[in-house]
Amino acid sequence: MYCQSQPAAQAATMALAVFVFFLVSIVLPLAEAASIEHVFIVNQMKMTCLCKETVVTLVNGQLPGPTIEITEGDSVTVHVVNRSPYNITIHWHGVKQFQNCWVDGVPMITQCPITPNKNFTYQFNVVGQEGTLWWHAHVPGLRATLHGAFIIRPRHGADSYPFPKPHKEIPVIIGDWWEKDLAEMAMNMTKNIFSAYASASTVNGLVGDYFNCSGVAKEGFVLDVEPGKTYLLQIINAGLFSEFYLKIAGHKFTVVAADANYVNPFTTDVIAIAPGETVDAMLIADAPPGRYYMVALPNQAPLPDVQTPEYATRGMVKYKGEHKKEEGHRGTSSDVPIGPKMPDVHDTITSFYFHGNLTSLHHKGHLLAQQRVDEHLFRVLGLGTICKQGQFCKRGNSSDDIQVATMNNVSFQQPTAMTMPLLEAQYYHISLNSTAQELPKRPPILFNFTDEALIPFGPKEMLLEPTYKATLVRRFKHGAMVEIVFQSTTMLQGDSNPMHLHGHNMMVVAQGLGNYDPVKDVPSYNLVNPVVKNTVLVPNRGWIAIRFVANNPGVWFMHCHYEFHLVMGMVAVFIVENGPTIDTSLPPPPDNFPTCGSKINPTPKEFYLQSKKSET
Ligand code: C2O
């Protein structure tokens, strides 16, 4: 049984579906560059899952939301119609948005949100990128149900893949099912992060037969295959809180791309995928025809980390012609399909090795990575606390403080709707000094970042807990080569951290466990074929070193893709300055760019024009 959705307003939705279908089909035939158009109606619906009716926010009534399929070079137009009670923005995760930061979809960073009953049209070209990306709402909590695949095919067709042309391409979106109200959960996260957990995990929106409703097992995702054929799985982790291990009994994967960048193919029986990451993997249906379970298992850091409920989910690979057991049928076909042997829930090293195996197929990064480095940044990631009142309060396991997530011991303060989006301020030359603060280059105190004794509440961690909030920004000159070392810490948790940078890809030059040591670690950098990613997983109690070229002018979010780290402030904003020419500068905002209502007076544009006038 599928989790069933019931439209809040049925008639309207029927009409809408026809309308959406009509518009979605305005896809020009394969030409040099097509124009792909979608309408996203964001609406609340009731869904019944696990015997419980839950109100969820969806795009076009679908979970996962509609897949956007394009060819590299196409232009994409998405009309977002907000019929939900929430402020919405949509982010095109991994799409570089070169010279087009305006449509990056981060509330109050790149745009005023689309308020209820308002529309906004996102329009952008996708150039120089191929593979699997995704889109999601950039609104606390809501991306759990507002997301979908974003597939970019090569301009010269599937024959130009750097691997054998697959028989079929199949998105595999791993996510979670929440019975809790997501907006409320996100709001309360800093009060009690440990009560924020999902009720089930899903593959392509289906909870699978580990879950039941009144004793009846739920249907899981079924991948129908034909013997001998090859399938390209476009795997996306859209979950809020967990890295997943994905396995299919009796089969191996060949990983061919990550974050829409081709990698040197390697074979593995397990895929590790953190929130925000995507992996393209080939699956050959070369096992004896039968039914094989596909399991996605969330992992978590072992004790003394706080343990939260995490649920595996199960789907199936089914060979053509294999139904229920047929009398007298031999081979592996039986009543009980074969299940894979999963890694331990607390196994974090399998992920470390999986990510370490990723290397870039095209060595475009080769020369780039070896260039001079203009900026070296060291980012320490952890948790801390802020007193509810005043500067001093009881820390540790205390109700006098709230927990926050930090970068170099500062927790990001989201600019409020009373101000203007940072991008507009930057574009119209309005000083950010009153809102923003420079992100410290290094942490204020050096300590043994990966000391296990810091995980549980105690005297050691309490000394390091105090932190504060600020809207952290870091400016980069156009074209600067930036190196960042992200260091995970054991401050109140030993989590890994999937760090995502908007508007740029990063080259992963090294990763390691324990504390980063430049003397020992720099010589081991891979400057030959570093994997190129938009989301890099900083290992549990470890570090990662990346480089990127700050060549995309704009104001870009950089954050941990674990929802609780993001909501609690493990965030900074990178401002990339304009280059010397028009071609290297950010053009003006698009038409009908959302405004933040009457709260800002004058608007950033008016303010800019006024100040120009008074100058002359
Ligand atoms: Cu996929 Cu800023 O996020």
Side-chain angles (χ1 to χ4, degrees):
M1 267 239 296
Y2 284 80
C3 296
Q4 278 164 0
S5 63
Q6 300 142 15
Q10 212 138 24
T13 308
M14 269 309 288
L16 216 135
V18 175
F19 173 66
V20 168
F21 177 78
F22 177 72
L23 272 157
V24 168
S25 43
I26 311 177
V27 176
L28 300 181
L30 241 191
E32 264 303 276
S35 170
I36 309 293
E37 199 158 355
H38 284 257
V39 177
F40 277 17
I41 314 268
V42 184
N43 217 343
Q44 284 197 314
M45 331 242 321
K46 288 181 186 149
M47 280 182 84
T48 303
C49 197
L50 311 180
C51 287
K52 194 170 163 223
E53 195 177 79
T54 310
V55 175
V56 292
T57 313
L58 301 174
V59 167
N60 302 348
Q62 290 168 246
L63 182 65
T67 298
I68 296 185
E69 290 180 84
I70 66 161
T71 299
E72 187 268 326
D74 284 353
S75 85
V76 179
T77 303
V78 182
H79 308 283
V80 178
V81 180
N82 185 8
R83 299 221 172 118
S84 82
Y86 304 110
N87 287 348
I88 298 290
T89 62
I90 304 287
H91 169 57
W92 319 95
H93 179 115
V95 176
K96 274 190 221 156
Q97 306 297 10
F98 193 64
Q99 314 268 69
N100 199 8
C101 185
W102 299 108
V103 292
D104 195 43
V106 189
M108 299 319 294
I109 305 302
T110 63
Q111 68 168 98
C112 297
I114 311 167
T115 51
N117 295 314
K118 287 277 174 357
N119 312 336
F120 176 58
T121 298
Y122 290 91
Q123 198 157 26
F124 50 91
N125 300 330
V126 179
V127 183
Q129 295 186 274
E130 293 174 18
T132 301
L133 294 171
W134 59 302
W135 59 265
H136 61 80
H138 219 298
V139 182
L142 296 187
R143 78 173 163 86
T145 54
L146 292 172
H147 62 251
F150 193 108
I151 310 289
I152 312 162
R153 301 236 156 71
R155 197 181 285 227
H156 302 293
D159 287 322
S160 67
Y161 280 135
F163 44 83
K165 182 175 166 181
H167 173 59
K168 262 192 187 153
E169 302 182 14
I170 298 165
V172 175
I173 304 180
I174 302 172
D176 21 55
W177 174 252
W178 289 77
E179 288 177 338
K180 294 190 161 95
D181 183 285
L182 286 159
E184 202 179 298
M185 179 279 292
M187 231 155 56
N188 293 332
M189 215 178 281
T190 55
K191 287 190 208 140
N192 187 0
I193 46 169
F194 304 118
S195 69
Y197 50 83
S199 304
S201 301
T202 55
V203 173
N204 289 343
L206 298 168
V207 294
D209 66 354
Y210 282 146
F211 303 91
N212 69 69
C213 175
S214 303
V216 181
K218 288 294 200 179
E219 189 163 331
F221 169 65
V222 176
L223 173 58
D224 289 303
V225 299
E226 289 176 44
K229 298 251 157 93
T230 302
Y231 298 82
L232 180 67
L233 307 184
Q234 299 155 319
I235 309 161
I236 297 166
N237 183 348
L240 295 190
F241 286 166
S242 302
E243 181 186 18
F244 281 84
Y245 288 132
L246 181 75
K247 281 187 93 167
I248 298 173
H251 293 78
K252 288 198 163 147
F253 305 98
T254 303
V255 177
V256 293
D259 291 4
N261 288 293
Y262 295 117
V263 300
N264 283 308
F266 67 94
T267 303
T268 172
D269 64 350
V270 60
I271 285 177
I273 185 163
E277 290 188 304
T278 65
V279 172
D280 285 14
M282 301 285 265
L283 175 79
I284 305 176
D286 58 359
R291 296 181 300 148
Y292 299 87
Y293 279 126
M294 167 196 292
V295 176
L297 172 85
N299 64 29
Q300 62 178 312
L303 285 169
D305 256 275
V306 177
Q307 302 295 299
T308 50
E310 312 242 11
Y311 304 98
T313 177
R314 187 157 78 172
M316 195 188 287
V317 169
K318 204 194 253 171
Y319 279 68
K320 199 172 177 189
E322 290 292 317
H323 301 294
K324 284 263 155 139
K325 181 180 175 177
E326 289 141 55
E327 215 52 57
H329 194 108
R330 295 216 316 272
T332 57
S333 181
S334 70
D335 274 342
V336 187
I338 300 168
K341 180 164 172 3
M342 298 305 288
D344 190 78
V345 186
H346 294 124
D347 170 352
T348 54
I349 204 75
T350 295
S351 161
F352 180 75
Y353 288 130
F354 177 87
H355 286 93
N357 273 337
L358 299 169
T359 52
S360 183
L361 178 66
H362 303 305
H363 298 198
K364 278 188 222 145
H366 178 56
L367 288 173
L368 213 54
Q370 293 185 3
Q371 267 182 26
R372 79 214 182 261
V373 171
D374 302 306
E375 303 248 14
H376 285 273
L377 307 175
F378 186 57
R379 290 294 153 77
V380 167
L381 312 168
L383 298 187
T385 57
I386 294 175
C387 292
K388 285 181 182 158
Q389 279 169 352
Q391 250 191 304
F392 301 100
C393 62
K394 199 163 162 271
R395 309 276 176 164
N397 194 7
S398 151
S399 57
D400 295 349
D401 59 14
I402 56 163
Q403 228 172 56
V404 292
T406 60
M407 238 184 248
N408 288 358
N409 203 40
V410 192
S411 177
F412 189 78
Q413 170 75 57
Q414 180 73 21
T416 66
M418 296 301 286
T419 58
M420 71 189 80
L422 298 184
L423 180 61
E424 280 189 285
Q426 162 75 5
Y427 182 77
Y428 293 116
H429 306 289
I430 296 166
S431 163
L432 290 174
N433 291 350
S434 60
T435 345
Q437 184 193 307
E438 177 89 9
L439 172 65
K441 248 190 160 174
R442 327 203 122 257
I445 308 175
L446 296 178
F447 55 97
N448 176 5
F449 302 117
T450 48
D451 180 357
E452 189 170 294
L454 296 173
I455 296 177
F457 290 120
K460 249 191 169 178
E461 63 76 23
M462 260 152 65
L463 287 175
L464 296 163
E465 256 185 49
T467 177
Y468 64 97
K469 274 182 168 282
T471 302
L472 294 173
V473 303
R474 189 74 173 50
R475 284 183 179 276
F476 297 101
K477 285 248 166 317
H478 189 273
M481 169 65 86
V482 184
E483 177 175 310
I484 308 179
V485 174
F486 292 107
Q487 172 76 56
S488 289
T489 69
T490 40
M491 269 304 293
L492 298 168
Q493 41 105 64
D495 285 347
S496 58
N497 297 280
M499 300 305 293
H500 173 49
L501 173 60
H502 290 211
H504 299 81
N505 271 334
M506 302 173 271
M507 294 172 274
V508 179
V509 293
Q511 62 163 5
L513 300 175
N515 297 338
Y516 174 72
D517 171 0
V519 176
K520 186 166 96 336
D521 296 324
V522 171
S524 75
Y525 278 12
N526 172 10
L527 301 179
V528 176
N529 57 3
V531 66
V532 180
K533 302 206 70 218
N534 63 59
T535 306
V536 300
L537 186 65
V538 191
N540 296 64
R541 305 194 205 176
W543 56 271
I544 200 163
I546 64 100
R547 288 183 183 178
F548 75 98
V549 188
N551 59 1
N552 193 4
V555 175
W556 305 102
F557 227 31
M558 200 273 294
H559 61 89
C560 182
H561 222 285
Y562 282 133
E563 196 70 354
F564 71 97
H565 284 172
L566 165 58
V567 173
M568 289 165 54
M570 196 180 282
V571 177
V573 166
F574 284 179
I575 301 181
V576 178
E577 288 172 354
N578 282 335
T581 60
I582 296 218
D583 284 353
T584 50
S585 300
L586 182 68
D591 289 342
N592 302 319
F593 201 54
T595 56
C596 293
S598 56
K599 286 174 197 136
I600 304 172
N601 201 9
T603 66
K605 193 169 177 180
E606 284 160 2
F607 180 89
Y608 176 69
L609 294 175
Q610 274 168 20
S611 60
K612 280 274 141 205
K613 231 197 220 155
S614 59
E615 271 171 29
T616 51

